[in-house]
Amino acid sequence: MDKKEKLMIANKELAFQNVEKEKRAEQLMIANKELAFQNKEKKKRAAELIDSNKEVDELEKRVKERTEDLESFTYSVSHDLRTPLRAINGYANMLEEDYSGVLDSEGKRVLGEVRINAKKMGILIDDLLTFSRLGRKGISNSKVDVNELVKTVLSEINESTAHHAEIKYENLLPTLADYNLLKHVITNLLSNAIKYSSKKDKTFIEIKSERKKGVNIYSISDNGVGFDMKYVNKLFGVFQRLHSNEEFSGTGVGLAIVERIIHKHNGKVWAKGKEGQGATFYFSLPDVDKKTEKKQ
Amino acid sequence: MENNTVEILLIEDNMNDAELAIRAFRKGNINNNLIHLKNGAEALEFLFATGKFEGRDTSKKPKVILHDLKMPKVDGLEVLAKIKASDLTKSIPVVVLTSSSEHPDIEHAYSLGANSYIVKPVEFDEFVKVVTELGFYWLLKNHPSL
């Protein structure tokens, strides 16, 4: 191959490489444009995300404000309702004390009804106050000896209520909870068990606990009137009752409070029952032993 | 009203609550001379012998003051602050009356120097019980010879 020939081949090669280079440059430009476009899209998306995040924040803030409004409304309403109620009750009491000589038996009965209902309304208002307070206050957890707690609650119930229930419990698992709130739950569930089984000749109530999937499950069973499972969802609603006041007195707020307390502890509440054959109420709370084992 | 022999000063804007409180005292056999004033402004006039109580002998102090928290014009906390800020009145025991033990003002009242508080219960019998217990406590504590 002579020099001329070699040069021509080299030239051709160069020309070819040039074309290739231009092609590459063109491809690069396209890729660049694509990248720029994608960048723009990304920024747009980011901006959109920031916007929707702001919206979520805004919504959360509004929900929180509304909830607080509602809580303080419930609180002040139930609070202010006590004032006229105090007067109704007080004056009915005065009538009874100062004018019982003037009233005949029917008059006394009517007056009695006024007083009974004023008292009922007082309990109702107190329950509502408890319920609204639970929404406002935080909880302070500590290790609770549930067995001891049940013992305390039972002796308080025995002092205030006459009943014939045979109540069994032993070695209940300790848990992590707000002592006073958990006491409220156990008082409520035990009082309910006693109340709704009070019409049986023999009443048996059993409190049990077991570890299951990392949580403690507590149950309180009775052999009382029970309930129809098709109404189970109504049990925990505010002002929801499955019995009339004539059958069993109550305000319909108790189990709503229980549910709220257990939810505050990130636990669950549920119930099983059969009409005429008793009911069992369950709630779950943290397994305290499991947590301490982890720490060690 | 013989202002100079007042032993219990009741400051309460709600007439029903006042009537019930007075009845509760009587039922609890607390028959000390009592004056009922309807708002904080009147109470301050009484305590410091101004306005319509001008000329009252301020050395004759009530043995106990009971006042409501929620009152028009001068509210309970203001009255309390003024009572506890004055050398003339700060030694008089003050019992706050309130509708609920949950009231955030109770803590405020304690920080201002309130000596005790009574939750006005819905049940009248309960009311008699708490009013009597507290009334006795403060009346006797001040004057053991009573």
Side-chain angles (χ1 to χ4, degrees), chain A residues 75 79-80 82-83 85-87 89-91 93-94 97-98 115 118-119 122 133 136-137, chain B residues 14-17 19-20 23 27 70 98-100 102-104 119-125:
Chain A
Y75 179 72
H79 199 264
D80 290 349
R82 288 172 73 105
T83 307
L85 189 60
R86 219 164 30 235
N89 198 54
Y91 286 99
N93 194 294
M94 282 186 205
E97 282 180 8
D98 297 353
R115 293 204 60 200
K119 196 174 174 177
R133 187 177 59 225
R136 290 178 292 115
K137 275 195 180 163
Chain B
N14 184 311
M15 294 319 243
N16 294 328
D17 276 348
E19 193 179 345
L20 292 175
R23 189 179 166 95
K27 270 201 85 178
K70 264 209 292 193
T98 169
S99 284
S100 151
E102 290 291 316
H103 210 290
V119 178
K120 301 179 204 166
V122 167
E123 277 287 293
F124 182 72
D125 294 341

Side-chain angles (χ1 to χ4, degrees), chain A residues 231-249:
Chain A
Y231 300 120
V232 72
N233 292 328
K234 290 199 166 182
L235 276 175
F236 297 97
V238 182
F239 291 138
Q240 297 275 10
R241 300 206 65 210
L242 300 185
H243 300 276
S244 71
N245 232 329
E246 279 68 39
E247 283 178 285
F248 296 101
S249 67

Side-chain angles (χ1 to χ4, degrees), chain A residues 127 130 133-134 153 179-189 254 257-258 261:
Chain A
D127 280 356
T130 310
R133 187 177 59 225
L134 285 176
V153 168
Y179 182 85
N180 286 319
L181 293 182
L182 185 56
K183 190 177 173 200
H184 194 107
V185 167
I186 290 174
T187 305
N188 189 290
L189 292 178
I257 293 175
V258 165
I261 291 174

Side-chain angles (χ1 to χ4, degrees), chain A residues 57-116:
Chain A
D57 283 350
E58 192 62 32
L59 271 174
E60 262 175 16
K61 208 178 126 200
R62 266 173 56 196
V63 169
K64 209 177 151 232
E65 278 170 8
R66 286 281 165 87
T67 313
E68 276 166 13
D69 279 355
L70 203 65
E71 302 288 0
S72 80
F73 177 75
T74 318
Y75 179 72
S76 60
V77 166
S78 21
H79 199 264
D80 290 349
L81 281 174
R82 288 172 73 105
T83 307
L85 189 60
R86 219 164 30 235
I88 293 170
N89 198 54
Y91 286 99
N93 194 294
M94 282 186 205
L95 259 183
E96 197 172 272
E97 282 180 8
D98 297 353
Y99 297 91
S100 63
V102 191
L103 290 171
D104 62 7
S105 64
E106 176 64 3
K108 281 177 192 160
R109 185 190 67 82
V110 170
L111 188 56
E113 289 297 322
V114 172
R115 293 204 60 200
I116 288 168

Side-chain angles (χ1 to χ4, degrees), chain A residues 181-227:
Chain A
L181 293 182
L182 185 56
K183 190 177 173 200
H184 194 107
V185 167
I186 290 174
T187 305
N188 189 290
L189 292 178
L190 261 177
S191 309
N192 271 356
I194 291 170
K195 175 162 73 181
Y196 291 106
S197 57
S198 59
K199 290 179 181 169
K200 296 266 164 161
D201 292 334
K202 277 193 173 161
T203 302
F204 300 105
I205 293 167
E206 191 172 15
I207 308 158
K208 287 193 285 194
S209 64
E210 62 167 326
R211 280 196 185 89
K212 214 174 187 180
K213 290 176 190 163
V215 292
N216 291 348
I217 294 170
Y218 299 87
S219 65
I220 296 177
S221 334
D222 64 63
N223 64 333
V225 288
F227 60 89

Side-chain angles (χ1 to χ4, degrees), chain B residues 130-146:
Chain B
V130 282
V131 164
T132 313
E133 279 170 6
L134 261 165
F136 258 132
Y137 177 74
W138 290 111
L139 290 168
L140 292 176
K141 195 183 153 91
N142 254 6
H143 294 264
S145 57
L146 243 173

